[in-house]
């Protein structure tokens, strides 16, 4: 290459590299400086924001900073959400927040931030959620917030905000939720608020509001919750027009110094909750029947007179009716408690204490679910009413209890506590341990008074919104707080199919995002919720929090990586070039080839296939060629050009690994040959693909045969031989492979059958080939501590200690034996096969659960096989037989069988003829530690049936 051209090339390369670097985006500098200002005005004793001094907010994953996925037209990344929930932050909010001009969510909930709300927040036109509740903010509400026309949710509750409610809020035309409760806001509620045509929930309770209740509120076309308790609208009446709030679900005006009459609310179809207690309301109670949805009617502590209207009868959802401390007269209608059809778990409290009620119309026989309080009424001294006394003593209400969840009996081994694992309470898999997400949650304004009847509905609502299974949610506890608000602790468990027993980071982020963006579908019955905390403990604590969510698309990461690689390559090319020029003069055409060189190792005995060959063999990986799907990836049936039929395992993105590691593993696998192992034919390592090519097993998996998918059944002898074959294959892996290979994932679907129904163990070594990825997608450095396996086959001791031994494979194989014996699945309908068989065995019912499809069998053989299988599944690894013991015992059982075919008696005779029982009763511990067993003693005669090519 001529010299000028060479320089030209380098220059171009450099330009490319710079261009790519520019394409690897950074955050808008004005937003970076705004975030720095925000941080510097906060006190951060727990150092949650420590990393805010390093790197770029969007690219370096600053905690709590979430960015848009794509670069804006201006060429920068922009901050989309700021989630600084519950971080023990104090100090104040910087006006620089207003410079985060594309922010959608601003969340500082549950910290101790003080000072005023910066009016500059009103500049963030794109803001949708403004969440500052649970701080110590003071000062008044800035008028400028009225400019936030895209705002849907404004939560400032539980602060020390004073001053009036700005009229400008009327411009918040997209606002659905206005929560300003528990502050010191004063003055009149501006009638202009009725312009907020989308407003659903208006929570202004526990403030110093005064003046009259604006009748204009009734013009709000969608209002569902109006909660104004504990304000002082001295002498104001409840406008009669409130009866027109047709979408209302909850009306709570407790302790507001209201006077006048109760308006007719009977036209409000879905009204569930009415609390007008502790006012000075007078006159009679409107007689029209309230909505059938009513759960709570509290009119106590007023000056109401007249009689109890019949409209309170026959309300099927009613939980609480309180008319106490009024001056009601006349008789008490028994229809209040008669003929009520409750929903399950329902209860009703009828409190009529301290009135002037003198008689009972009907029978005084409330059912047990109705609590009736009549104390302080003349009727209590009416000697004509039998049994009245018990209703006239003052009672305190018992606490609500969670319905007892099936307290499972999982005593055998406890969950590893170091990672905050615990049993999933109502898991479909018995005693499934997993690490839950812990969520502090509170219903801010529920429309029920008594929760148990609604727990089911609530759990269904939450889990379906989160796209989880019902069993994944557990309400750990709940309690009522003033408001009344319902606080609860939720735990969300990963699904039982999750072999890590904890959520991956993507899933944590998904769930967290649904909570923190209020993406739940609206429910007026449960009302608005508060997120009190979203605690990441155990496996979530270290890995997830610091990097929560980059918010950066893969594309950008790829661009960054490409740019970095291009730079590194070009710089090293330049340096190489300079060095070569200097040392070797004009040999300038070198290095290119060197750079693009590919590792290519010749591996004995296996064939390296090209990607094209693989594609041809599988008809371009057509789905009709797909025969299975494993942890490693999809499995295809392929026909090679020489007509050989093979099974091709194609690694999925997550299972890909470094080329060198891949080839090292292939080398290891290529040396493993045994008649009971599926043999590796070749591999493909091209075009970013990694594939393993195995001999094809025409008779499919043992699982298919046990489950009857095959339409033919295995008789007992065949089952024994398959068990023996599998055990021998695994024994070979444990003792002959160097280093020993622990299979880690033995299960009926990993035992394949060839054309002669010889068992061949598949997928060995794949646990090494497919290291589990951790949250960041990086290969973890502690593979051994990650529990891998299939639920139902998993050694409990391995789960507990994370220590993998040969006995873990013994356990899993024992489960396969139990499947062979009973035809059951390891886990079905929540029943664990080990426990089921143990129970049957102990109660002498063993033969009742033996698979009837296996035909006749000698009962002493079955008994021995059951004993072996159950010992293999002992919780204590020490009490399990070794794989060698297993092989020996199976051979001895086979010899007891009437017709043992020649093939097996041959191989059997190659072992010592000592029977299993005399050689080592497991209990009396004459052990065969693998170190004392020389491989050649054991195996040499049996292997290799497939000689290395
Ligand atoms: C407000 O929301 C609308 C609809 O989502 C959107 O098109 C518009 O860009 C938003 N306004 C601002 C200033 O972000
Ligand atoms: C009211 O009851 C009806 C019928 O039972 C039900 O469909 C509706 O969802 C309920 N509304 C509320 C707000 O609970
Ligand atoms: C009724 O008034 C008395 C006395 O003021 C009070 O102790 C009691 O708690 C009130 N009852 C109810 C149900 O509010
Ligand atoms: C309750 O039901 C019974 C039988 O259906 C009926 O005779 C009685 O009148 C009902 N009581 C009330 C208070 O409605
Ligand atoms: C009363 O409550 C118990 C326990 O929740 C329930 O089993 C029973 O069915 C309820 N009775 C009525 C009439 O609802």
């Amino acid at each position: 290459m001529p010299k000028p051209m060479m320089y030209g090339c380098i220059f171009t390369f450099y330009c490319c590299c710079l261009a790519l670097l520019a394409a690897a985006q950074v955050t808008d500098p004005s937003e970076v400086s705004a975030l720095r200002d925000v941080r510097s005005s906060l006190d951060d004793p727990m150092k949650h924001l420590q990393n805010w001094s390093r790197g770029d907010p969007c690219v370096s994953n600053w905690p709590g900073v979430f960015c848009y996925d794509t670069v804006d037209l201006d060429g920068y990344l922009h901050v989309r959400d700021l989630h600084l929930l519950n971080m023990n932050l104090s100090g104040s909010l910087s006006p620089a927040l207003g410079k985060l001009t594309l922010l959608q969510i601003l969340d500082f909930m549950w910290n101790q931030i003080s000072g005023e709300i910066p009016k500059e927040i009103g500049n963030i036109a794109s803001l949708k959620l403004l969440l500052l509740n649970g701080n110590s903010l003071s000062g008044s509400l800035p008028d400028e917030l009225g400019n936030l026309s895209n705002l849907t949710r404004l939560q400032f509750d539980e602060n020390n905000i004073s001053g009036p409610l700005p009229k400008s809020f009327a411009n918040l035309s997209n606002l659905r939720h206005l929560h300003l409760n528990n502050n010191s806001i004063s003055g009149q509620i501006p009638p202009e608020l009725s312009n907020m045509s989308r407003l659903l929930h208006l929570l202004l309770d526990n403030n110093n509001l005064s003046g009259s209740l604006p009748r204009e509120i009734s013009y709000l076309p969608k209002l569902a919750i109006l909660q104004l308790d504990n304000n002082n609208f001295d002498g104001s009446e409840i406008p009669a027009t409130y009866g027109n709030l047709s979408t209302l679900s909850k009306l709570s005006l407790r302790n507001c110094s209201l006077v006048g009459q109760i308006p007719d609310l009977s036209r409000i179809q879905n009204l569930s909750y009415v609390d007008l207690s502790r006012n000075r309301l007078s006159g009679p109670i409107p007689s029209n029947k309230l909505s059938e949805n009513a759960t709570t009617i509290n009119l106590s502590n007023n000056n109401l007179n007249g009689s109890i209207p019949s409209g309170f009868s026959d309300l099927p959802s009613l939980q609480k009716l309180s008319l106490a401390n009024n001056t009601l007269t006349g008789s008490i209608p028994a229809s209040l408690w008669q003929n009520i059809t409750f929903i399950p778990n329902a209860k009703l409290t009828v409190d009529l204490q301290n009135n002037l009620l003198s008689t009972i119309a009907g029978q005084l026989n409330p059912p047990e679910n109705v609590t009736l309080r009549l104390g302080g009424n003349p009727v209590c001294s009416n000697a004509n009413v039998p049994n009245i006394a018990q209703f006239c003593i003052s009672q305190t209400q018992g606490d609500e209890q969670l319905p007892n969840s099936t307290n499972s009996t999982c005593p055998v081994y406890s969950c590893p506590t170091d990672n905050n694992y615990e049993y999933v309470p109502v898991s479909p898999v018995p005693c499934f341990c997993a690490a839950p997400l812990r969520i502090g949650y509170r219903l801010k304004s529920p429309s029920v008074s008594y929760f148990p009847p609604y727990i089911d509905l609530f759990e269904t609502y939450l889990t379906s919104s989160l796209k989880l299974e019902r069993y994944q949610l557990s309400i750990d506890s709940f309690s009522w707080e003033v408001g009344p608000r319902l606080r609860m602790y939720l735990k969300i468990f990963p699904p039982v199919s999750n072999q890590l027993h904890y959520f991956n980071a993507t899933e944590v982020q998904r769930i967290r995002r649904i909570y923190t963006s209020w993406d739940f579908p609206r429910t007026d019955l449960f009302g608005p919720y508060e997120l009190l905390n979203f605690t990441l403990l155990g496996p979530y604590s270290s890995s997830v929090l610091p990097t929560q969510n980059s918010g950066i698309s893969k594309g950008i990461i790829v661009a960054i990586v490409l740019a970095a690689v291009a730079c590194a390559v070009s710089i090293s090319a330049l340096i190489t070039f300079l060095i070569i020029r200097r040392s070797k003069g004009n040999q300038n055409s070198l290095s290119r080839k060197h750079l693009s060189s590919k590792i290519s190792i010749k591996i004995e005995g296996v064939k390296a296939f090209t990607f094209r060959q693989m594609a041809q063999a599988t008809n371009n990986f057509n789905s009709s060629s797909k025969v299975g799907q494993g942890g490693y990836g999809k499995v295809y049936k392929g026909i090679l050009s020489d007509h050989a039929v093979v099974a091709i395992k194609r690694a999925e993105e997550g299972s890909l690994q470094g080329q060198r590691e891949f080839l090292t593993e292939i080398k290891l696998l290529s040396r493993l040959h045994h008649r009971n192992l599926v043999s590796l034919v070749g591999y493909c390592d091209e075009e970013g693909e990694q594939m393993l090519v195995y001999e094809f097993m025409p008779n499919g998996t043992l699982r298919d045969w046990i489950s009857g998918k095959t339409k033919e059944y295995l008789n007992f002898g065949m089952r024994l031989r398959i068990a023996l074959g599998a055990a021998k294959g695994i024994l070979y892996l444990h003792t002959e492979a160097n280093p020993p290979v622990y299979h880690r994932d033995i299960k009926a679907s990993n035992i394949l059958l060839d054309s002669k129904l010889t068992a061949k163990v598949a997928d060995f070594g794949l646990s090494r080939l497919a290291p589990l990825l951790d949250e960041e997608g990086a290969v973890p450095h502690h593979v051994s501590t990650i529990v891998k396996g299939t639920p139902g086959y998993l050694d409990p001791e391995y789960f507990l200690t994370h220590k993998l031994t040969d006995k873990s494979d013994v356990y899993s194989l024992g489960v396969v034996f139990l499947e062979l014996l009973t035809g059951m699945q390891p886990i079905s309908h929540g029943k664990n096969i080990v426990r089921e068989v143990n129970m049957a065995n102990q109660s002498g019912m063993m033969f009742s659960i033996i698979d009837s499809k296996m035909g006749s069998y000698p009962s002493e053989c079955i008994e021995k096989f059951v004993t072996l299988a159950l010992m293999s599944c002992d919780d204590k690894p020490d009490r399990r037989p070794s794989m060698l013991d297993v092989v020996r015992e199976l051979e001895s059982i086979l010899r007891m069988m009437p017709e043992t075919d020649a093939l097996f008696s041959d191989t059997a005779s190659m072992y010592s003829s000592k029977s299993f029982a005399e050689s080592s009763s497991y209990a009396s511990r004459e052990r065969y530690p693998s170190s004392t067993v020389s491989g050649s003693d054991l195996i040499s005669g049996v292997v290799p049936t497939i000689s290395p090519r």
Side-chain angles (χ1 to χ4, degrees):
M1 205 188 286
K3 236 187 221 174
M5 208 166 144
M6 187 72 191
Y7 283 122
C9 277
I10 290 173
F11 181 74
T12 321
F13 215 154
Y14 234 81
C15 291
C16 278
C17 145
L18 286 178
L20 270 171
L21 252 191
Q25 294 305 328
V26 293
T27 311
D28 182 335
S30 72
E31 295 183 22
V32 181
S33 85
L35 287 172
R36 294 224 160 90
D37 290 349
V38 168
R39 182 187 178 228
S40 64
S41 68
L42 291 170
D43 286 330
D44 176 23
M46 312 298 280
K47 304 211 183 307
H48 286 296
L49 306 184
Q50 197 172 24
N51 286 347
W52 275 35
S53 43
R54 297 198 196 115
D56 180 88
C58 293
V59 180
S60 322
N61 300 325
W62 285 11
V65 178
F66 297 75
C67 299
Y68 287 90
D69 280 355
T70 49
V71 172
D72 199 43
L73 285 181
D74 63 8
Y76 288 114
L77 291 165
H78 295 278
V79 181
R80 187 195 63 210
D81 304 350
L82 209 47
H83 285 290
L84 302 175
L85 151 77
N86 210 341
M87 287 189 170
N88 273 309
L89 303 172
S90 52
S92 61
L93 294 179
S94 165
L97 281 168
K99 294 187 191 146
L100 300 171
T101 48
L102 293 172
L103 205 60
Q104 294 189 358
I105 302 180
L106 182 58
D107 167 2
F108 280 98
M109 299 185 296
W110 311 111
N111 286 290
Q112 289 109 45
I113 298 168
S114 52
E116 302 208 358
I117 298 169
K119 62 178 191 304
E120 288 78 4
I121 290 178
N123 299 338
I124 313 177
S126 52
L127 206 57
K128 291 183 176 159
L129 271 51
L130 179 50
L131 314 169
L132 304 178
N133 47 305
N135 281 286
S136 306
L137 295 165
S138 55
S140 55
L141 294 164
D143 283 340
E144 287 80 356
L145 297 181
N147 299 335
L148 298 171
S149 59
N150 269 9
L151 202 65
T152 63
R153 181 175 287 270
L154 190 154
Q155 295 183 181
F156 289 169
D157 39 307
E158 310 207 22
N159 278 289
N160 302 323
I161 298 166
S162 54
L165 190 52
K167 286 190 177 57
S168 66
F169 278 23
N171 301 329
L172 298 171
S173 55
N174 269 305
L175 200 69
R176 270 79 164 171
H177 301 273
L178 181 56
H179 301 172
L180 298 171
N181 53 286
N182 298 77
N183 279 290
S184 305
I185 298 169
S186 55
Q188 154 115 28
I189 298 176
E192 290 83 352
L193 292 194
S194 61
N195 289 337
M196 301 163 94
S197 57
R198 295 201 163 91
L199 194 64
L200 301 171
H201 298 168
L202 180 57
L203 271 52
L204 302 174
D205 52 293
N206 297 289
N207 277 293
N208 295 332
L209 293 168
S210 57
S212 61
L213 270 186
R215 62 194 297 272
E216 287 82 355
I217 294 283
S218 52
Y219 303 153
L220 286 167
K222 299 204 161 149
L223 193 66
I225 296 180
L226 178 60
Q227 183 161 2
L228 306 176
D229 317 333
N230 298 319
N231 281 292
N232 187 3
F233 306 107
D234 196 9
S236 168
E237 298 197 1
I238 304 174
T241 53
Y242 283 16
N244 302 337
L245 280 162
S246 59
T247 52
L248 208 61
S249 165
K250 176 165 183 169
L251 177 63
S252 195
L253 304 174
R254 182 165 29 100
N255 192 25
C256 286
S257 310
L258 297 167
V259 300
Q261 298 211 355
I262 295 177
D264 178 10
L265 303 172
S266 64
R267 279 163 294 150
I268 308 180
Q269 262 181 9
N270 278 337
L271 192 63
S272 302
Y273 193 109
V274 186
D275 187 348
L276 305 177
S277 64
R278 297 185 188 275
N279 284 295
R280 301 197 305 273
L281 299 170
S282 57
I285 300 172
S287 59
N288 291 337
K289 197 167 148 81
L290 284 181
S291 153
E292 295 242 313
N293 293 52
T295 67
T296 305
I297 301 168
N298 189 351
L299 307 177
S300 64
N301 297 287
N302 279 294
N303 303 326
L304 300 171
N305 54 31
S307 58
I308 299 176
S310 61
F312 292 145
S313 307
D314 291 328
L315 295 174
S317 304
L318 197 62
Q319 302 182 321
K320 178 174 176 172
L321 171 63
S322 181
L323 306 176
N325 289 343
N326 280 293
T327 49
L328 300 170
T329 52
S331 61
I332 302 167
S335 60
L336 289 180
W337 56 80
Q338 270 178 359
N339 295 358
I340 300 179
T341 38
F342 286 109
I343 57 176
N345 291 318
K347 275 208 255 191
L348 169 63
T349 303
V350 177
D351 190 345
L352 305 175
Q353 293 179 89
N354 302 321
N355 276 290
L356 302 171
L357 302 161
S358 51
T359 57
I360 295 192
Q363 297 248 298
L364 186 57
N365 58 349
E368 58 171 322
N369 296 8
V370 175
T371 307
L372 189 56
R373 296 192 185 130
L374 303 177
N377 278 293
V379 71
C380 285
S381 43
N382 186 339
N384 293 335
V385 184
N387 301 326
I388 187 85
Q390 55 174 308
F391 303 106
C392 290
I393 50 174
S394 61
Q395 305 154 323
T396 47
Q397 195 162 3
D399 279 343
E400 288 173 34
Q401 299 280 316
L402 273 171
N404 265 349
S405 63
T406 43
N407 216 347
S408 56
T409 48
C410 300
V412 191
Y413 62 100
S414 59
C415 294
T417 48
D418 53 331
N419 265 339
N420 283 283
Y421 283 93
E422 44 190 84
Y423 290 118
V424 180
V426 283
S427 158
V429 174
C431 303
F432 183 79
C433 293
L437 298 171
R438 291 151 205 269
I439 295 167
Y441 187 91
R442 188 161 63 167
L443 298 181
K444 210 185 262 193
S445 184
S447 288
V448 302
S449 291
Y450 178 64
F451 190 44
Y454 291 97
I455 287 178
D456 248 19
L457 188 62
F458 176 75
E459 290 186 343
T460 307
Y461 161 72
L462 269 196
T463 48
S464 65
S465 313
L466 291 165
K467 298 199 169 55
L468 300 172
E469 297 289 331
R470 260 296 286 281
Y471 72 84
Q472 291 181 255
L473 173 72
S474 151
I475 301 179
D476 216 38
S477 62
F478 72 86
S479 58
W480 287 98
E481 297 184 342
V482 286
R485 312 191 204 280
L486 185 61
R487 175 191 281 262
M488 47 187 122
Y489 286 99
L490 308 178
K491 287 180 183 162
I492 294 183
F493 290 92
V496 292
S497 59
N498 179 324
Q499 300 189 1
L500 292 175
H501 301 241
Y502 57 84
F503 288 112
N504 66 23
T506 323
E507 192 62 359
V508 174
Q509 283 158 20
R510 184 185 71 83
I511 294 170
R512 192 182 154 110
R513 185 162 164 77
I514 294 176
Y515 275 101
T516 56
S517 348
W518 271 264
D519 277 346
F520 287 97
R522 154 189 170 204
T523 139
D524 296 324
L525 184 62
F526 298 120
Y529 73 86
E530 295 176 271
L531 183 63
L532 302 177
N533 58 61
F534 193 105
T535 309
L536 298 171
L537 291 171
Y540 307 114
S541 56
S542 52
S543 45
V544 182
L545 238 193
T547 54
Q548 286 149 337
N549 174 13
S550 64
I552 296 186
S553 71
K554 284 213 175 90
I556 289 178
I557 291 172
V558 168
I560 292 168
V561 169
L562 276 182
V565 168
C567 263
V569 167
S570 73
I571 288 170
S572 62
L574 182 65
I575 291 172
T576 315
F577 172 71
L578 291 176
I579 291 173
I580 289 168
R581 256 176 66 94
R582 198 172 275 183
S583 60
K584 296 208 170 170
N586 256 344
Q587 290 181 343
N588 54 8
S589 66
L590 226 121
S591 75
R592 183 95 34 83
K593 197 169 181 197
H594 174 74
L595 285 168
S596 68
S597 88
K598 193 168 181 287
I599 310 163
S600 110
I601 301 169
K602 190 123 187 65
I603 300 175
E604 290 273 312
V606 295
K607 207 167 165 238
F609 291 99
T610 63
F611 182 78
R612 243 189 96 198
Q613 286 173 312
M614 296 288 89
Q616 271 165 1
T618 55
N619 195 8
N620 273 326
F621 301 100
N622 194 296
S623 56
S624 63
S625 313
K626 192 181 144 192
V627 290
Q629 166 89 48
Y632 184 71
K634 292 194 176 70
V635 186
Y636 297 87
K637 177 179 179 176
I639 300 172
L640 301 177
S641 53
D642 62 358
H643 306 293
V645 185
V646 291
I648 298 173
K649 281 183 198 274
R650 184 187 196 188
E652 267 163 10
E653 213 173 302
S655 301
L656 286 172
Q657 52 183 327
Q659 196 180 28
R660 206 175 282 278
E661 292 76 25
F662 181 70
L663 293 174
T664 309
E665 294 296 336
I666 301 276
K667 233 175 169 173
L668 180 109
L669 293 181
S670 72
R671 291 199 295 254
L672 302 175
H673 294 282
H674 187 274
R675 93 177 236 118
N676 296 112
L677 297 181
V678 177
S679 57
L680 183 70
V681 177
Y683 66 97
C684 168
D685 177 30
E686 265 194 18
E687 316 218 349
E689 296 264 359
Q690 292 177 341
M691 286 177 244
L692 297 168
V693 183
Y694 288 95
E695 57 175 326
F696 187 76
M697 293 288 130
N699 270 319
T701 75
L702 179 57
R703 179 75 250 156
D704 296 343
W705 284 83
I706 296 176
S707 63
K709 240 189 185 173
T710 46
K711 308 227 167 60
E712 284 171 86
Y713 297 109
L714 299 165
N715 66 30
F716 179 64
M718 288 159 148
R719 293 184 195 216
L720 263 185
R721 271 174 229 125
I722 288 167
L724 178 62
K728 281 181 177 171
I730 298 162
L731 178 62
Y732 170 85
L733 292 174
H734 286 181
T735 53
E736 288 293 273
N738 185 16
V741 172
Y742 299 135
H743 191 294
R744 295 189 188 204
D745 200 14
I746 293 167
K747 51 184 169 184
S749 55
N750 266 341
I751 294 172
L752 306 184
L753 301 177
D754 74 1
S755 56
K756 295 181 182 138
L757 293 182
T758 307
K760 298 203 179 216
V761 177
D763 270 7
F764 50 89
L766 280 199
S767 48
R768 301 161 52 96
L769 263 180
L772 290 153
L773 302 180
D774 69 7
E775 281 83 2
E776 268 63 66
V779 176
H781 20 268
H782 46 69
V783 172
S784 66
T785 67
I786 287 188
V787 175
K788 187 182 153 53
T790 303
Y793 292 97
L794 200 60
D795 171 9
E797 181 77 8
Y798 168 42
F799 189 94
L800 188 64
T801 63
H802 294 189
K803 263 200 238 111
L804 186 75
T805 66
D806 53 339
K807 295 294 183 70
S808 304
D809 282 352
V810 172
Y811 183 94
S812 310
L813 187 61
V815 175
V816 175
F817 292 173
L818 293 177
E819 288 178 78
L820 279 168
L821 279 160
T822 62
M824 285 160 45
Q825 303 243 26
I827 290 167
S828 64
H829 306 294
K831 289 183 174 165
N832 176 293
I833 195 170
V834 178
R835 187 145 14 110
E836 294 298 304
V837 177
N838 255 318
M839 273 161 43
N841 196 35
Q842 278 159 19
S843 54
M845 302 285 287
M846 189 58 224
F847 286 94
S848 68
I849 63 165
I850 296 295
D851 189 358
S852 57
K853 297 191 290 289
M854 70 167 94
S856 61
Y857 44 79
S859 59
E860 63 277 17
C861 292
I862 283 273
E863 274 165 14
K864 280 183 176 277
F865 195 14
V866 170
T867 310
L868 174 69
L870 286 177
M871 274 178 164
S872 302
C873 295
D874 199 299
D875 282 321
K876 293 273 170 294
D878 281 353
R879 293 207 294 255
R880 293 176 208 151
S882 70
M883 197 57 79
L884 175 63
D885 294 334
V886 172
V887 168
R888 287 187 167 155
E889 175 66 359
L890 285 171
E891 290 183 327
S892 115
I893 301 172
L894 257 173
R895 275 198 299 274
M896 290 165 61
M897 290 284 292
E899 8 74 287
T900 304
D901 64 297
L903 178 72
F904 283 89
S905 53
D906 276 350
T907 56
S909 65
M910 289 176 193
Y911 290 92
S912 105
S913 57
K914 272 195 286 180
S915 89
F916 171 74
E918 46 192 37
S919 74
S920 64
S921 85
Y922 314 120
S924 69
R925 295 296 81 206
E926 191 206 330
R927 307 263 295 287
Y928 286 78
S930 53
S931 59
T932 67
V933 177
S934 112
S936 52
D937 283 348
L938 278 171
I939 310 287
S940 52
V942 198
V943 289
T945 54
I946 300 159
S947 50
R949 273 156 275 192

